[in-house]
Amino acid sequence: MTLTAARGRARQARKPRQARQATGWRPPATAYGLGLAAAGVAAAWTVHRLFPAVPLLTAAVVLGIVAAHLPGARGLVRGACRAGLSFAGKRLMRLGIVLLGLKLSLDDVLGLGWATVAMVLGVVAATFCGTWWLGRRMGLRGDQPLLIATGYSICGASAIGAVSEVSDSDERDVATSVALVTLCGTLAIAVLPLLQHPLGLDDAAFGRWVGASVHDVGQVVATAQTAGPAALGDAVLVKLVRVALLAPLVAALATAVRVRARRARATGTEADGSEAEGTRATEPRAEGAPATEPRAVGAQATEPRAEGATRRRPPLVPLFVLGFLAMTALRSTGILATAALDAAATAQELLLAAALFGLGSAVHLPSLSRTGARVAALGLCAWVVIAGASYGGVLLTT
């Protein structure tokens, strides 16, 4: 070996160590975004303490939207913090949904009576199907009709986050749906108490109406407490019955996604109806290639997709839904102490607040304004549907 070659190898061996010394330790890509989400939760908690009528989760999503458009923070939200905020919107949302199961006990559900349970099932079915159908007829983009229908009929932003996991929804659709459902749920806090006496509802009936028609658990509590403890107790129980429907709904949607993907593979089309990869006239472009790059003449039609380009096949029952059911079963045993349940409830609120701050930060108001009229119209129609169906159900079961 010549002296020149030996020196070259020595320099090559020193490069990794020198590179490490030059760059130093770097935090994970999600650290900055998670830090910003934690700051957002702290700010939302402060708002909630100063104005108790504003639920923590509502404040969190509003502050996330504000951060995404504030001149000083906008660059961070869209740049260095984006990975961590997306992580919060997905992963922390799953953890919060798992802990949400600890609020539900089978004994409490059965104590409501089968008539009330059947009423809740009817309200959820009518709201979900009606909102989904109307959203598709109005031409809303992507999964917005599905997500808005889920949020209105089940449990607001938590349900939207759960369904978006199995439907692999676009983050912008998720953020828009969360913003709409949160806004309408917040308006319910002010509007529904004004309608109690004109509609002829006593405190218990008003509580059941609130529990069947208001979206988020925190918003249910804020609305029902205006009529006293009797209304609050019934409202929370009815609301938790709706929460219990989250698991079967997610499982049903996961099954539908799998069936649609299987049919798409059998017919040579993608799940969204576009032509499958193996039958297209153009080859999937390589990373960094222009969008109009033609396929090479004579290339095989059955060429497999690039790694990572295959559609993710969702599990029949997602792991976080199984966790939700496990927590519900654990709560039903009665072995958990009150202190443990209180700690879990606090952790669940904080996790969901961080997730909603992350989702709120993905809202882009200029883009939202282009479809804002249709989204707002769907939200208003869905609000009328769930409020009317709930009121009719309460009258029938009282």
Side-chain angles (χ1 to χ4, degrees):
M1 180 184 296
T2 64
L3 180 60
T4 302
R7 288 177 178 174
R9 288 194 175 186
R11 284 195 301 269
Q12 190 68 22
R14 286 197 302 269
K15 278 185 179 181
R17 182 175 61 187
Q18 291 172 348
R20 286 193 299 268
Q21 291 174 350
T23 58
W25 178 84
R26 291 182 179 179
T30 58
Y32 298 112
L34 290 177
L36 182 59
V41 171
W45 181 84
T46 302
V47 171
H48 175 62
R49 294 288 293 180
L50 294 175
F51 306 98
V54 180
L56 173 65
L57 302 186
T58 300
V61 70
V62 170
L63 288 175
I65 296 173
V66 171
H69 297 83
L70 202 63
R74 183 170 52 198
L76 289 175
V77 169
R78 298 179 183 176
C81 295
R82 187 67 259 157
L85 292 172
S86 296
F87 179 89
K90 292 180 178 291
R91 306 296 180 179
L92 298 188
M93 176 68 78
R94 295 179 186 178
L95 292 177
I97 291 171
V98 169
L99 293 180
L100 187 63
L102 289 175
K103 290 188 174 182
L104 182 65
S105 171
L106 295 179
D107 292 336
D108 293 337
V109 174
L110 295 177
L112 285 173
W114 290 110
T116 301
V117 174
M119 179 269 289
V120 173
L121 289 173
V123 169
V124 168
T127 304
F128 180 82
C129 296
T131 304
W132 192 4
W133 175 83
L134 184 59
R136 292 175 64 87
R137 290 295 300 269
M138 295 173 64
L140 293 186
R141 54 160 283 171
D143 288 334
Q144 286 181 0
L146 171 64
L147 298 175
I148 293 172
T150 303
Y152 270 84
S153 59
I154 304 293
C155 56
S158 302
I160 292 174
V163 169
S164 67
E165 291 293 324
V166 298
S167 61
D168 199 20
S169 302
D170 183 82
E171 187 178 26
R172 292 171 297 176
D173 291 344
V174 177
T176 300
S177 303
V178 166
L180 176 66
V181 171
T182 301
L183 173 62
C184 291
T186 303
L187 292 176
I189 298 174
V191 174
L192 265 60
L194 300 177
L195 299 177
Q196 177 184 357
H197 297 298
L199 293 178
L201 298 175
D202 59 25
D203 291 347
F206 176 73
R208 291 196 295 274
W209 183 46
V210 170
S213 60
V214 180
H215 317 316
D216 181 76
V217 177
Q219 294 165 346
V220 168
V221 172
T223 306
Q225 57 86 27
T226 60
L232 180 59
D234 280 7
V236 171
L237 286 179
V238 171
K239 176 61 186 176
L240 291 180
V241 174
R242 289 169 63 194
V243 173
L245 298 177
L246 177 63
L249 175 64
V250 172
L253 289 175
T255 303
V257 170
R258 289 166 66 96
V259 170
R260 185 172 59 181
R262 190 180 302 116
R263 289 177 178 173
R265 288 193 298 270
T267 58
T269 58
E270 294 289 355
D272 59 2
S274 60
E275 200 173 359
E277 193 71 34
T279 61
R280 291 179 184 173
T282 57
E283 185 179 15
R285 55 191 176 95
E287 183 178 358
T292 57
E293 182 182 0
R295 180 173 182 161
V297 177
Q300 293 183 359
T302 57
E303 183 176 355
R305 296 183 181 206
E307 183 179 358
T310 307
R311 286 184 180 272
R312 181 173 59 87
R313 186 179 182 183
L316 185 59
V317 182
L319 185 60
F320 69 90
V321 174
L322 293 177
F324 172 88
L325 295 175
M327 292 298 102
T328 299
L330 181 61
R331 169 68 186 269
S332 301
T333 63
I335 64 175
L336 294 178
T338 302
L341 293 175
D342 291 342
T346 301
Q348 178 247 328
E349 285 280 312
L350 295 177
L351 287 170
L352 289 183
L356 290 180
F357 182 87
L359 289 176
S361 69
V363 174
H364 188 236
L365 293 180
S367 299
L368 181 61
S369 64
R370 288 192 284 271
T371 57
R374 285 178 293 165
V375 171
L378 177 61
L380 179 61
C381 293
W383 200 10
V384 171
V385 168
I386 192 170
S390 301
Y391 179 67
V394 168
L395 293 182
L396 291 174
T397 56
T398 299

